[in-house]
Amino acid sequence: MSMFCYQCEQAAQGTGCTKIGVCGKQPDVAALQDLLIHALKGVSFWAHAARGQGRKDQEVDRFMLDGLFTTVTNVDFDAEDIARILRRAGEIKEKARVLAGPVAGPVPAAAEWQPAANLAGLVRQGEEHGVQDPTIDADVKSVQEIVIYGLKGYAAYAHHALTLGAESDEVYAFTHQALAATLDKSLGLMDFVNLALECGRINLVTMELLSQAHTGRYGHPVPTPVSLGTKQGKAILVSGHDLRMLEELLKQTEGKGINIYTHGEMIPAHGYPGLKKYAHLAGNFGGAWQDQAKEFGNFPGAIIFNTNCIQRPADSYKERLFTWGLVQWPDVKHIDGWDFSSVIRKAQELPGFQEQPGKEILVGFGHNAILGVADKVIAAVKAGQLRHFFLIGGCDGAKSGRNYYTEFAEQVPKDCVILTLACGKYRFNKLDFGDIGGIPRLLDVGQCNDAYSAVQIALALANAFECEVNDLPLSMVLSWYEQKACAILLSLLYLGIKDIRLGPSLPAFISPNILNVLVEKFNIMPIQTPDEDLKAILG
Ligand code: SF4
Ligand code: SF3
């Protein structure tokens, strides 16, 4: 059985995974995910038509977030679970069809799709609806996929926002419009280019919604030291991006002698007043996601994933591993809903940590915290003490070429400040960078979705210096891995940001012609060596 997937930076040979995913995705799961995208296009065909007549449905809209997020890299590896979502997609599509009523013109096959009766049948259907489609022009296909990956990316953020009770009709309307557009044979390249930029705008809307949901519930992040050491006591490790899930776990473990540790993209949680107030939010454990298999064996407690990036669990910790939300791995215990008692029981059975003091690193430099010291920052720039800002951020990953980001950060001259976000920061966030007149040289803005915060910082600086963002002494050196990074990149392009350096390699789904357009219009460029890039930026 073969497959084809090229949606992430790990795509085999830089072109696509064809036998098994480098991420561990099996061909049957790949086929089911392809079928899910096909099914979602069908749902959106009807939902978009219904919206044209002023009718919409909350269940249909919200289902789109679940469906799209399920297909993001390193989220759901469980064929049975995706089959369940597909059966649900069949029901939701019928609901949307009734909502739309009769439509003029041809009805595409995706809108007529019915789920096969069993898993094997669904896999066969999926194989007929793979990503590759020789009937579509290569450049159109490339931009269609860019749009779809952008949708997947912001669906993850919209999903987190919804967990906190925030949602936006604009996001749902665009999701349906864009997916329905991929079925419309009358549309051409420029239509999809415009949809891609609009996808970037909608991702900004979504990231803002999520940022407001986070700060509304937990307050604005404040600069906070995070311990890399351990506290005496039982332990639970939380990995992923979902702060609400962490909050519920903190509540349910209060006073039980269990300490909660953050992993990967959960580290910004320590900066939020509404989360740091829990004394048993003890510290951060391990590096970025790709190190989990070698690190989790050393964690003497229960471990739970609430979003990507999960990897094939090693036997050394599989039995104490849990998933929550949309994350699933075959034979790993899944928590449905908000009752974490089985995770707590597991932590209580395990030895936990001895006290081991460790280094502390600083988090919590969201836009509110940075803009709070904007006067100091601006004065330092005007006095020539602060020469340049570098935003070095994005996803981490397993490729050796990612050492670039460590070396780059180390080589940034002492009179420059580094802003960082997302899990790529683990390449350098434990190094000492010192400060410039009290301003730390490494400012951790937060999770990948806090790219919204970074944009706010850039806009405020541009305002203070009465210039455009592109004219600021600011350079973006980004790393990408999965589809949330695609959504963020589209947002930056929508904002007209130029000269972005992107690595460790360029996406396989960008066709040569589309790459030329990106280079011409936005001067986007692949990373070279830290030395060459720093020279090019600073002169
Ligand atoms: Fe390969 Fe990435 Fe697709 Fe996994 S998500 S199959 S690693 S391209
Ligand atoms: Fe990392 Fe998976 Fe993308 Fe939120 S945790 S940035 S890769």
PDB file of all heavy atoms in Angstrom, residues 6-9 11 14 146 149 480 486 489 502 505-511 515 518:
ATOM      1  N   TYR A   6       2.975  15.366   1.719  1.00  0.00           N
ATOM      2  CA  TYR A   6       4.126  16.296   1.720  1.00  0.00           C
ATOM      3  C   TYR A   6       3.810  17.545   2.526  1.00  0.00           C
ATOM      4  O   TYR A   6       4.342  18.616   2.265  1.00  0.00           O
ATOM      5  CB  TYR A   6       4.572  16.615   0.293  1.00  0.00           C
ATOM      6  CG  TYR A   6       3.602  17.326  -0.641  1.00  0.00           C
ATOM      7  CD1 TYR A   6       4.029  17.754  -1.907  1.00  0.00           C
ATOM      8  CD2 TYR A   6       2.277  17.584  -0.294  1.00  0.00           C
ATOM      9  CE1 TYR A   6       3.181  18.405  -2.784  1.00  0.00           C
ATOM     10  CE2 TYR A   6       1.419  18.243  -1.170  1.00  0.00           C
ATOM     11  CZ  TYR A   6       1.875  18.648  -2.403  1.00  0.00           C
ATOM     12  OH  TYR A   6       1.035  19.294  -3.269  1.00  0.00           O
ATOM     13  N   GLN A   7       2.952  17.385   3.530  1.00  0.00           N
ATOM     14  CA  GLN A   7       2.460  18.584   4.206  1.00  0.00           C
ATOM     15  C   GLN A   7       3.417  19.162   5.253  1.00  0.00           C
ATOM     16  O   GLN A   7       3.213  20.278   5.695  1.00  0.00           O
ATOM     17  CB  GLN A   7       1.099  18.315   4.845  1.00  0.00           C
ATOM     18  CG  GLN A   7       1.122  17.350   6.021  1.00  0.00           C
ATOM     19  CD  GLN A   7      -0.238  17.258   6.704  1.00  0.00           C
ATOM     20  OE1 GLN A   7      -1.189  17.929   6.318  1.00  0.00           O
ATOM     21  NE2 GLN A   7      -0.352  16.416   7.722  1.00  0.00           N
ATOM     22  N   CYS A   8       4.434  18.407   5.655  1.00  0.00           N
ATOM     23  CA  CYS A   8       5.331  18.963   6.673  1.00  0.00           C
ATOM     24  C   CYS A   8       6.767  19.000   6.175  1.00  0.00           C
ATOM     25  O   CYS A   8       7.091  18.477   5.109  1.00  0.00           O
ATOM     26  CB  CYS A   8       5.216  18.204   7.989  1.00  0.00           C
ATOM     27  SG  CYS A   8       6.287  16.770   8.118  1.00  0.00           S
ATOM     28  N   GLU A   9       7.621  19.567   6.993  1.00  0.00           N
ATOM     29  CA  GLU A   9       9.014  19.791   6.610  1.00  0.00           C
ATOM     30  C   GLU A   9       9.805  18.491   6.541  1.00  0.00           C
ATOM     31  O   GLU A   9      10.866  18.437   5.924  1.00  0.00           O
ATOM     32  CB  GLU A   9       9.622  20.787   7.612  1.00  0.00           C
ATOM     33  CG  GLU A   9      11.010  21.288   7.293  1.00  0.00           C
ATOM     34  CD  GLU A   9      12.075  20.396   7.885  1.00  0.00           C
ATOM     35  OE1 GLU A   9      11.810  19.756   8.922  1.00  0.00           O
ATOM     36  OE2 GLU A   9      13.166  20.331   7.304  1.00  0.00           O
ATOM     37  N   ALA A  11       8.914  15.799   4.992  1.00  0.00           N
ATOM     38  CA  ALA A  11       8.563  15.034   3.794  1.00  0.00           C
ATOM     39  C   ALA A  11       9.791  14.280   3.262  1.00  0.00           C
ATOM     40  O   ALA A  11      10.838  14.903   3.030  1.00  0.00           O
ATOM     41  CB  ALA A  11       8.001  15.959   2.720  1.00  0.00           C
ATOM     42  N   GLY A  14      12.613  15.313   0.778  1.00  0.00           N
ATOM     43  CA  GLY A  14      12.218  16.682   0.445  1.00  0.00           C
ATOM     44  C   GLY A  14      11.108  16.737  -0.584  1.00  0.00           C
ATOM     45  O   GLY A  14      10.788  17.801  -1.113  1.00  0.00           O
ATOM     46  N   ILE A 146      -1.339  24.993  -0.243  1.00  0.00           N
ATOM     47  CA  ILE A 146      -0.915  26.040   0.705  1.00  0.00           C
ATOM     48  C   ILE A 146      -2.146  26.520   1.490  1.00  0.00           C
ATOM     49  O   ILE A 146      -2.101  26.677   2.713  1.00  0.00           O
ATOM     50  CB  ILE A 146      -0.230  27.215  -0.045  1.00  0.00           C
ATOM     51  CG1 ILE A 146       1.115  26.758  -0.609  1.00  0.00           C
ATOM     52  CG2 ILE A 146      -0.050  28.419   0.876  1.00  0.00           C
ATOM     53  CD1 ILE A 146       1.780  27.761  -1.553  1.00  0.00           C
ATOM     54  N   TYR A 149      -3.279  23.816   3.980  1.00  0.00           N
ATOM     55  CA  TYR A 149      -2.404  23.709   5.155  1.00  0.00           C
ATOM     56  C   TYR A 149      -2.572  24.928   6.062  1.00  0.00           C
ATOM     57  O   TYR A 149      -2.506  24.803   7.288  1.00  0.00           O
ATOM     58  CB  TYR A 149      -0.940  23.487   4.741  1.00  0.00           C
ATOM     59  CG  TYR A 149      -0.793  22.238   3.881  1.00  0.00           C
ATOM     60  CD1 TYR A 149       0.138  22.125   2.873  1.00  0.00           C
ATOM     61  CD2 TYR A 149      -1.673  21.167   4.077  1.00  0.00           C
ATOM     62  CE1 TYR A 149       0.223  20.987   2.077  1.00  0.00           C
ATOM     63  CE2 TYR A 149      -1.594  20.024   3.279  1.00  0.00           C
ATOM     64  CZ  TYR A 149      -0.654  19.944   2.284  1.00  0.00           C
ATOM     65  OH  TYR A 149      -0.591  18.821   1.501  1.00  0.00           O
ATOM     66  N   TRP A 480      10.263  26.189  10.165  1.00  0.00           N
ATOM     67  CA  TRP A 480       8.910  25.634  10.066  1.00  0.00           C
ATOM     68  C   TRP A 480       8.960  24.127  10.167  1.00  0.00           C
ATOM     69  O   TRP A 480       9.986  23.500   9.947  1.00  0.00           O
ATOM     70  CB  TRP A 480       8.242  26.080   8.765  1.00  0.00           C
ATOM     71  CG  TRP A 480       8.586  25.251   7.561  1.00  0.00           C
ATOM     72  CD1 TRP A 480       9.756  25.289   6.860  1.00  0.00           C
ATOM     73  CD2 TRP A 480       7.761  24.258   6.943  1.00  0.00           C
ATOM     74  NE1 TRP A 480       9.705  24.391   5.836  1.00  0.00           N
ATOM     75  CE2 TRP A 480       8.497  23.732   5.864  1.00  0.00           C
ATOM     76  CE3 TRP A 480       6.480  23.773   7.194  1.00  0.00           C
ATOM     77  CZ2 TRP A 480       7.983  22.738   5.035  1.00  0.00           C
ATOM     78  CZ3 TRP A 480       5.967  22.786   6.370  1.00  0.00           C
ATOM     79  CH2 TRP A 480       6.722  22.273   5.305  1.00  0.00           C
ATOM     80  N   CYS A 486       2.628  27.173   8.438  1.00  0.00           N
ATOM     81  CA  CYS A 486       2.161  27.656   7.117  1.00  0.00           C
ATOM     82  C   CYS A 486       1.171  28.789   7.316  1.00  0.00           C
ATOM     83  O   CYS A 486       1.218  29.810   6.620  1.00  0.00           O
ATOM     84  CB  CYS A 486       1.466  26.543   6.332  1.00  0.00           C
ATOM     85  SG  CYS A 486       2.507  25.144   6.036  1.00  0.00           S
ATOM     86  N   LEU A 489       3.038  31.889   8.334  1.00  0.00           N
ATOM     87  CA  LEU A 489       3.754  32.457   7.187  1.00  0.00           C
ATOM     88  C   LEU A 489       2.789  33.216   6.279  1.00  0.00           C
ATOM     89  O   LEU A 489       3.090  34.323   5.813  1.00  0.00           O
ATOM     90  CB  LEU A 489       4.446  31.325   6.428  1.00  0.00           C
ATOM     91  CG  LEU A 489       5.624  31.753   5.584  1.00  0.00           C
ATOM     92  CD1 LEU A 489       6.708  32.395   6.435  1.00  0.00           C
ATOM     93  CD2 LEU A 489       6.206  30.550   4.860  1.00  0.00           C
ATOM     94  N   LEU A 502      13.759  31.524   5.733  1.00  0.00           N
ATOM     95  CA  LEU A 502      12.980  30.343   6.104  1.00  0.00           C
ATOM     96  C   LEU A 502      13.824  29.076   5.985  1.00  0.00           C
ATOM     97  O   LEU A 502      14.557  28.891   5.019  1.00  0.00           O
ATOM     98  CB  LEU A 502      11.752  30.245   5.181  1.00  0.00           C
ATOM     99  CG  LEU A 502      10.766  29.126   5.474  1.00  0.00           C
ATOM    100  CD1 LEU A 502      10.105  29.316   6.833  1.00  0.00           C
ATOM    101  CD2 LEU A 502       9.684  29.057   4.387  1.00  0.00           C
ATOM    102  N   SER A 505      14.422  23.725   5.414  1.00  0.00           N
ATOM    103  CA  SER A 505      14.321  23.528   3.968  1.00  0.00           C
ATOM    104  C   SER A 505      12.993  24.130   3.542  1.00  0.00           C
ATOM    105  O   SER A 505      12.141  24.404   4.383  1.00  0.00           O
ATOM    106  CB  SER A 505      14.372  22.036   3.628  1.00  0.00           C
ATOM    107  OG  SER A 505      13.368  21.358   4.371  1.00  0.00           O
ATOM    108  N   LEU A 506      12.822  24.333   2.244  1.00  0.00           N
ATOM    109  CA  LEU A 506      11.578  24.945   1.785  1.00  0.00           C
ATOM    110  C   LEU A 506      10.508  23.872   1.614  1.00  0.00           C
ATOM    111  O   LEU A 506      10.815  22.702   1.376  1.00  0.00           O
ATOM    112  CB  LEU A 506      11.818  25.675   0.467  1.00  0.00           C
ATOM    113  CG  LEU A 506      12.784  26.868   0.580  1.00  0.00           C
ATOM    114  CD1 LEU A 506      12.986  27.529  -0.778  1.00  0.00           C
ATOM    115  CD2 LEU A 506      12.282  27.897   1.587  1.00  0.00           C
ATOM    116  N   PRO A 507       9.222  24.248   1.755  1.00  0.00           N
ATOM    117  CA  PRO A 507       8.152  23.255   1.660  1.00  0.00           C
ATOM    118  C   PRO A 507       8.123  22.541   0.310  1.00  0.00           C
ATOM    119  O   PRO A 507       8.259  23.168  -0.743  1.00  0.00           O
ATOM    120  CB  PRO A 507       6.885  24.100   1.838  1.00  0.00           C
ATOM    121  CG  PRO A 507       7.319  25.313   2.582  1.00  0.00           C
ATOM    122  CD  PRO A 507       8.710  25.594   2.114  1.00  0.00           C
ATOM    123  N   ALA A 508       7.913  21.219   0.360  1.00  0.00           N
ATOM    124  CA  ALA A 508       7.849  20.426  -0.867  1.00  0.00           C
ATOM    125  C   ALA A 508       6.610  20.784  -1.689  1.00  0.00           C
ATOM    126  O   ALA A 508       6.580  20.562  -2.899  1.00  0.00           O
ATOM    127  CB  ALA A 508       7.824  18.936  -0.500  1.00  0.00           C
ATOM    128  N   PHE A 509       5.592  21.336  -1.023  1.00  0.00           N
ATOM    129  CA  PHE A 509       4.338  21.611  -1.746  1.00  0.00           C
ATOM    130  C   PHE A 509       4.359  22.960  -2.471  1.00  0.00           C
ATOM    131  O   PHE A 509       3.372  23.345  -3.084  1.00  0.00           O
ATOM    132  CB  PHE A 509       3.129  21.513  -0.800  1.00  0.00           C
ATOM    133  CG  PHE A 509       3.270  22.299   0.479  1.00  0.00           C
ATOM    134  CD1 PHE A 509       3.003  23.655   0.511  1.00  0.00           C
ATOM    135  CD2 PHE A 509       3.668  21.672   1.651  1.00  0.00           C
ATOM    136  CE1 PHE A 509       3.139  24.381   1.682  1.00  0.00           C
ATOM    137  CE2 PHE A 509       3.806  22.384   2.840  1.00  0.00           C
ATOM    138  CZ  PHE A 509       3.542  23.751   2.847  1.00  0.00           C
ATOM    139  N   ILE A 510       5.467  23.683  -2.378  1.00  0.00           N
ATOM    140  CA  ILE A 510       5.566  24.939  -3.142  1.00  0.00           C
ATOM    141  C   ILE A 510       6.224  24.630  -4.476  1.00  0.00           C
ATOM    142  O   ILE A 510       7.376  24.196  -4.534  1.00  0.00           O
ATOM    143  CB  ILE A 510       6.360  26.010  -2.364  1.00  0.00           C
ATOM    144  CG1 ILE A 510       5.603  26.358  -1.074  1.00  0.00           C
ATOM    145  CG2 ILE A 510       6.584  27.248  -3.215  1.00  0.00           C
ATOM    146  CD1 ILE A 510       6.142  27.546  -0.319  1.00  0.00           C
ATOM    147  N   SER A 511       5.485  24.848  -5.562  1.00  0.00           N
ATOM    148  CA  SER A 511       6.018  24.543  -6.897  1.00  0.00           C
ATOM    149  C   SER A 511       7.073  25.594  -7.266  1.00  0.00           C
ATOM    150  O   SER A 511       7.079  26.696  -6.710  1.00  0.00           O
ATOM    151  CB  SER A 511       4.889  24.548  -7.925  1.00  0.00           C
ATOM    152  OG  SER A 511       4.417  25.878  -8.101  1.00  0.00           O
ATOM    153  N   LEU A 515       7.280  29.473  -5.949  1.00  0.00           N
ATOM    154  CA  LEU A 515       8.437  29.936  -5.184  1.00  0.00           C
ATOM    155  C   LEU A 515       9.004  31.213  -5.810  1.00  0.00           C
ATOM    156  O   LEU A 515       9.306  32.177  -5.107  1.00  0.00           O
ATOM    157  CB  LEU A 515       9.513  28.836  -5.123  1.00  0.00           C
ATOM    158  CG  LEU A 515      10.737  29.206  -4.297  1.00  0.00           C
ATOM    159  CD1 LEU A 515      10.360  29.479  -2.843  1.00  0.00           C
ATOM    160  CD2 LEU A 515      11.786  28.100  -4.353  1.00  0.00           C
ATOM    161  N   LEU A 518       6.984  34.098  -4.748  1.00  0.00           N
ATOM    162  CA  LEU A 518       7.249  34.466  -3.350  1.00  0.00           C
ATOM    163  C   LEU A 518       8.568  35.234  -3.236  1.00  0.00           C
ATOM    164  O   LEU A 518       8.674  36.190  -2.468  1.00  0.00           O
ATOM    165  CB  LEU A 518       7.305  33.213  -2.467  1.00  0.00           C
ATOM    166  CG  LEU A 518       5.966  32.510  -2.223  1.00  0.00           C
ATOM    167  CD1 LEU A 518       6.180  31.240  -1.419  1.00  0.00           C
ATOM    168  CD2 LEU A 518       4.996  33.439  -1.498  1.00  0.00           C
TER     169      LEU A 518
END
